[in-house]
Amino acid sequence: WYSLAAESGSAAGMYGLGLAHINCEEFGPAIDRLQQAAAQGYGPAFAALADMHFLGVGMPRDKATAAVLWRRAAELGQLRSALTLASK
């Protein structure tokens, strides 16, 4: 389903496919899909990319970029991202 949804341009589909890639430890494709979803303003994708940057999953650890991405996710209504920012 995620592949079909992503191919049709669905941000939720791209996000779901990105998470599936993370679960398979395929970080390059995961980042690509999450960035595509984020480019459409999909808050959960910003949050997932922030987590990846903060933890250094599939990329060098970058707390500053993580904070920027969490802030954008929070602006888009992602409560966990707002709470994460408040705790840092």
Side-chain angles (χ1 to χ4, degrees):
W1 180 89
Y2 291 127
S3 294
L4 291 174
E7 288 174 15
S8 72
S10 164
M14 288 180 220
Y15 169 75
L17 191 55
L19 294 184
H21 282 298
I22 290 170
N23 289 333
C24 294
E25 298 186 8
E26 299 169 346
F27 301 120
I31 293 165
D32 290 343
R33 291 301 185 167
L34 292 172
Q35 287 176 335
Q36 290 171 348
Q40 292 186 37
Y42 194 67
F46 281 101
L49 286 166
D51 293 342
M52 292 179 77
H53 278 281
F54 186 79
L55 297 171
V57 175
M59 62 187 68
R61 189 170 183 182
D62 185 345
K63 292 181 183 180
T65 299
V68 169
L69 293 169
W70 278 323
R71 187 169 295 107
R72 182 66 180 126
E75 290 169 356
L76 292 168
Q78 298 301 299
L79 178 59
R80 186 184 59 81
S81 294
L83 295 172
T84 300
L85 279 172
S87 71
K88 303 290 178 207

